[in-house]
């Protein structure tokens, strides 16, 4: 009698977290399905930095090499007050590999290419509506773009469906934390500037925080929480054509549980925080890596590894979100007395070797060991 075909593990969400999980599992020969509610992949730049920890995890596939070939190495950071550079940090020789600047849409496209080489295609226009589980399996209710629904079974589910995760809601898991009141403005904008495009730039503004990073061919990412960030660019930089504009609010939240039974959460579904430190996408890729290891064993009879996933990841999520929240409070330049303290202290603090090392470890994603087992 022919052996029955195994039922695929289900990944909900084809952002960087879901795509990475599918890739790590496919490399281990695990059958997976990956669905996404959106009809098309994202086209926006969003996360711009792939950190050394992510590159290490993606080294075994072709993806790290392709990210390095297509992106650009970020060689340092500079801090500006007005038109004066008041501090700088050289990243060269300080990290095992320099962080790579690349628009998130391209990182996702490269992950997707690698996945397709395994014959796995994202099933688009398919959204999770509900989910239940028993001792044997998970049952998912999926809706197609035409509104029709279908029920499918899976032995395990990875919820990588972003900050408003339906998987997290279906599990009844809370997402406690706090939010900052002010809106943060974002542009991908053409700049006429003398700023060094190989470094990231931070503006210590009188009314907030400014971040600038070169994207490609004269287009820069600008993020700020002041009244009019584009009017306060350092080094006399002059903004031109706006390619993309957005606005967001910053919240710091961690899911109360990272797995329940046969279902786990990863990426923004499990944690959100400010973009300072460039950890969001990268931490999601790390979740995917650890999940793949745990899920492989769970499918081979060690179901307790799903609980171990939560025990491994939750302390990491809590610590990273706590540290990024503290960094954001320090850097956002509000209220005014804290702004004065930041402007006075920060340029001096980054000259102190242990503090600079800690900042770089955070940026590199190397502020905790990568553990796949307790
Ligand atoms: C402006 C901005 C700048 C950022 N900068 C950085 C940065 O510099 N560095 C960094 O590391 N991070 C950054 N981030 C954060 C980063 O973009 C996110 O952390 C990252 O996209 C999270 O990936 P994810 O795969 O977990 O979730 P998402 O990218 O949100 O993907 C979730 C996917 O799930 C799908 N989905 C949702 N609900 C369902 C459903 N019910 N059924 C099926 N599919 C569903 C969605 O369509 C989506 O494709 C930034 C974010 C923003 C907005």
């Amino acid at each position: 009698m022919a052996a029955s075909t195994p039922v695929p593990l289900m990944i909900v969400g084809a952002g960087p977290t879901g795509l990475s999980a599918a890739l790590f599992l496919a490399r281990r020969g695990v059958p997976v399905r990956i669905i996404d509610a959106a009809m098309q992949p994202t086209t926006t730049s969003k996360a711009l930095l792939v950190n050394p920890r992510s590159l290490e995890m993606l080294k075994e596939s072709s993806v790290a090499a392709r990210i390095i070939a297509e992106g650009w190495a970020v060689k340092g950071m500079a801090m500006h007050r007005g038109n004066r550079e008041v501090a700088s940090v050289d990243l060269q020789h300080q990290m095992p590999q320099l962080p790579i600047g690349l628009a998130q849409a391209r990182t996702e496209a490269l992950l997707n290419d690698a996945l397709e080489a395994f014959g796995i295609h994202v099933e688009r226009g398919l959204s999770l509506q509900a989910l239940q589980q028993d001792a044997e399996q998970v049952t998912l209710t999926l809706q197609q773009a035409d509104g029709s629904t279908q029920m499918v079974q899976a032995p395990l589910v990875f919820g990588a469906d972003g900050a408003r995760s339906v998987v997290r809601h279906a599990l009844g898991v809370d997402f406690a934390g706090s939010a900052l009141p002010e809106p943060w403005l974002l542009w991908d904008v053409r700049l006429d500037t003398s700023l060094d495009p190989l470094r990231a730039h931070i503006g210590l503004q009188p009314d907030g925080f400014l971040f600038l990073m070169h994207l490609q061919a004269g287009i820069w990412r600008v993020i700020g929480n002041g009244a009019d960030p584009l009017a306060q660019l350092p080094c006399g930089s002059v903004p031109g054509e706006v390619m993309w504009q957005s606005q967001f609010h910053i919240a710091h939240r961690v899911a109360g549980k990272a797995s329940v039974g046969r279902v786990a959460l990863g990426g923004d579904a499990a944690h959100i925080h400010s973009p300072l430190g460039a950890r969001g996408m990268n931490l999601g890729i790390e979740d995917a890596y650890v999940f793949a290891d745990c899920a492989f064993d769970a499918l081979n009879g060690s179901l307790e590894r799903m609980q171990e996933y939560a025990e491994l990841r939750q302390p990491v999520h809590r610590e990273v979100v706590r540290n990024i929240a503290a960094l954001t409070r320090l850097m956002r330049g509000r209220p005014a007395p804290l702004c004065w303290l930041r402007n006075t202290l920060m340029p001096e603090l980054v000259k102190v070797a242990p503090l600079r090392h800690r900042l770089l470890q955070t940026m590199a994603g190397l502020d905790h060991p990568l553990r796949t087992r307790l």
Side-chain angles (χ1 to χ4, degrees):
M1 199 166 67
S4 60
T5 316
V7 180
L9 179 155
M10 180 68 83
I11 297 171
V12 183
T17 306
L19 289 167
S20 301
L23 181 60
F24 293 136
L25 287 160
R27 286 183 57 78
R28 288 168 172 254
V30 174
V32 296
R33 279 182 77 183
I34 173 165
I35 62 165
D36 200 289
M39 296 302 291
Q40 301 294 334
T42 182
T43 54
T44 49
S45 51
K46 291 198 287 188
L48 293 188
L49 267 190
V50 185
N51 72 21
R53 167 66 54 82
S54 295
L55 291 167
E56 179 64 28
M57 290 181 293
L58 294 167
K59 199 158 79 181
E60 285 173 5
S61 65
S62 59
V63 179
R66 291 190 66 192
I67 288 173
I68 292 168
E70 191 173 322
W72 64 101
V74 181
K75 299 203 164 130
M77 282 188 299
M79 262 181 218
H80 306 260
R81 209 163 43 214
N83 279 329
R84 206 159 61 86
E85 184 174 313
V86 289
S88 69
V89 179
D90 184 4
L91 301 187
Q92 296 181 93
H93 319 300
Q94 309 236 29
M95 292 183 176
Q97 147 80 52
L98 286 172
I100 300 294
L102 188 66
Q104 182 172 327
R106 285 305 305 152
T107 302
E108 290 185 21
L110 295 177
L111 288 166
N112 190 57
D113 286 355
L115 194 56
E116 294 204 333
F118 284 96
I120 298 168
H121 304 279
V122 175
E123 299 173 50
R124 295 205 163 272
L126 207 50
S127 70
L128 177 76
Q129 300 294 302
L131 165 160
Q132 294 96 34
Q133 59 177 318
D134 58 27
E136 306 299 324
Q137 64 186 359
V138 188
T139 302
L140 303 98
T141 308
L142 306 182
Q143 187 173 57
Q144 281 162 295
D146 65 5
S148 61
T149 57
Q150 53 177 279
M151 308 272 269
V152 300
Q153 269 78 40
L156 302 175
V157 171
F158 189 48
D161 51 342
R164 294 195 174 85
S165 173
V166 173
V167 176
R168 192 183 64 238
H169 284 291
L171 294 175
V173 169
D174 66 348
F175 203 35
S178 60
L180 298 180
E182 79 271 18
W184 289 61
L185 308 171
L186 171 155
W187 294 265
D188 286 352
V189 58
R190 200 171 288 287
L191 283 192
D192 182 4
T193 182
S194 59
L195 288 170
D196 178 358
L198 296 180
R199 295 192 293 170
H201 299 269
I202 287 168
L204 304 175
Q205 309 298 105
D207 67 345
F209 173 85
L210 192 66
F211 173 82
L212 297 99
M213 186 168 147
H214 185 236
L215 261 173
Q216 58 179 357
I219 297 164
W220 290 68
R221 159 69 54 81
V222 178
I223 299 181
N225 65 342
D228 189 358
L230 284 187
Q232 307 184 42
L233 301 178
C235 295
S237 308
V238 179
E241 185 186 1
V242 173
M243 319 306 284
W244 180 49
Q245 186 172 356
S246 187
Q247 181 176 318
F248 59 96
H249 276 86
I250 288 178
H252 296 101
R253 299 184 191 283
V254 176
K257 292 178 183 166
S259 72
V260 177
R262 294 174 171 273
V263 183
L265 298 168
D268 280 15
H271 43 80
I272 51 167
H273 51 72
S274 97
L276 271 80
R279 297 300 289 275
M281 177 179 77
N282 292 296
L283 200 56
I285 294 173
E286 194 178 295
D287 291 340
Y289 185 83
V290 177
F291 173 76
D293 194 71
C294 294
F296 179 81
D297 293 340
L299 291 170
N300 286 295
S302 305
L303 191 59
E304 68 281 3
R305 291 277 282 148
M306 289 294 282
Q307 173 58 26
E308 197 175 330
Y309 169 81
E311 289 168 28
L312 286 163
R313 296 312 292 164
Q314 268 212 304
V316 173
H317 297 165
R318 289 205 188 102
E319 193 190 335
V320 170
V321 172
R322 192 171 50 241
N323 290 342
I324 297 296
L327 183 67
T328 305
R329 273 197 303 276
L330 177 68
M331 292 304 289
R332 71 192 258 255
R334 291 168 182 220
L338 208 54
C339 184
W340 177 84
L341 204 63
R342 177 201 66 178
N343 292 355
T344 313
L345 281 185
M346 267 322 277
E348 300 310 314
L349 288 181
V350 295
K351 292 177 192 151
V352 180
L355 295 176
R356 188 173 62 241
H357 177 72
R358 190 152 174 218
L359 184 69
L360 294 183
Q361 292 292 93
T362 300
M363 224 184 123
L366 301 175
D367 49 1
H368 61 277
L370 175 59
R371 293 174 68 204
T372 55
R373 286 185 178 274
L374 282 175

